Amino acid sequence: MNLTDTAGLEKELLERFLRYAKIFTTSDDHVDKVPSTPGQWDLLKLLERELTGLGVADINLTENGYLIGRIPAGGPPKKGVPVIGLMAHVDTSEEAPGENVNPQIHPNYGGGIIQLKEGYSLDPAKIPHLASYKGKTIITSDGTTLLGADDKAGLAIIMTAVHMLIKHPEYPHCPLEIIFNADEETARGTKYFPKDQVKASFVYTLDGDREGSLEAECFNAHKAVV
């Protein structure tokens, strides 16, 4: 893998995302345990195997579905460099069907309406920022399920970055902690969070807004039913 090989990185990123999106990881708000569904374990264990296959030696998967992997700093040695965490969650929302996800790839998007099944569509007149992706590849569900980009896109981005950094130990970066958790959608994702195992001074969650955005607030999904 070459750091300037953007086509290769994009190809790997797409393959990873499609692989993760097809795993049924819908969480269940009515189950009082973490992870709340067996499919989340399936994805966590797949990620554990992939991290091992990439050469990450320091990995721990806790009994409550927190997967932590550590990567030493790269490039010339430096003292006093903080550990940075990259985090994403494996579960998907139960607000829409999440089983048998059939991702649709729309290369070289022309800027028009993207028609899906069940009468659904993505219309740039209603979703203005779609226009900014003209000429790029867009991935959608087929309309019968959710896609699961929340947050399997984050998983795919982090795992692709891990691969790149391990292949290029000369590339300067601080020590990293890779943290994947279950049940973010049920608000139980931090219930058993192993704070004593986390060494990171700062953690960035790759789960959110439009491309290039950065939020400086913490979303915890707590709710109240009145």
Side-chain angles (χ1 to χ4, degrees), residues 8-221:
L9 287 171
E10 289 177 358
K11 182 175 183 291
E12 178 179 343
L13 183 63
L14 176 60
E15 290 173 350
R16 286 188 185 280
F17 174 72
L18 296 178
R19 183 159 66 247
Y20 303 156
K22 293 175 182 179
I23 300 174
F24 179 32
T25 59
T26 303
S27 50
D28 189 343
D29 194 28
H30 299 93
V31 176
D32 189 17
K33 67 177 181 178
V34 179
S36 61
T37 52
Q40 295 183 69
W41 277 119
D42 293 340
L43 182 49
L44 285 164
K45 290 175 181 177
L46 171 63
L47 292 166
E48 181 184 29
R49 292 194 300 271
E50 289 189 359
L51 285 171
T52 301
L54 291 176
V56 179
D58 189 358
I59 304 173
N60 181 36
L61 178 57
T62 76
E63 63 180 357
N64 293 113
Y66 298 92
L67 177 59
I68 303 175
R70 297 180 182 87
I71 302 171
K78 291 183 179 180
K79 295 182 179 180
V81 178
V83 179
I84 300 296
L86 300 176
M87 188 170 181
H89 63 91
V90 300
D91 65 315
T92 53
S93 172
E94 58 185 318
E95 296 299 318
E99 191 171 12
N100 299 317
V101 173
N102 182 24
Q104 305 294 297
I105 303 172
H106 309 271
N108 195 24
Y109 170 56
I113 296 174
I114 299 176
Q115 197 65 48
L116 307 175
K117 292 182 179 180
E118 307 291 341
Y120 293 107
S121 64
L122 299 175
D123 187 346
K126 299 177 181 178
I127 313 172
H129 72 271
L130 261 181
S132 65
Y133 295 102
K134 187 174 181 179
K136 299 182 180 180
T137 297
I138 291 181
I139 309 165
T140 71
S141 74
D142 64 3
T144 63
T145 69
L146 50 65
L147 177 60
D150 176 11
D151 186 26
K152 291 169 182 176
L155 298 174
I157 291 168
I158 291 172
M159 291 295 289
T160 303
V162 168
H163 187 197
M164 182 193 76
L165 293 174
I166 289 178
K167 286 288 186 180
H168 294 276
E170 76 281 3
Y171 187 80
H173 66 85
C174 61
L176 295 175
E177 278 189 327
I178 308 305
I179 307 169
F180 299 138
N181 68 285
D183 279 283
E184 186 267 358
E185 301 289 354
T186 67
R188 298 189 184 96
T190 57
K191 187 174 182 180
Y192 304 105
F193 191 81
K195 291 186 289 185
D196 59 325
Q197 296 186 31
V198 175
K199 302 175 182 178
S201 301
F202 309 94
V203 177
Y204 294 90
T205 301
L206 277 73
D207 175 18
D209 214 313
R210 300 177 189 177
E211 183 179 10
S213 65
L214 182 67
E215 295 183 11
E217 61 182 356
C218 181
F219 174 70
N220 57 29

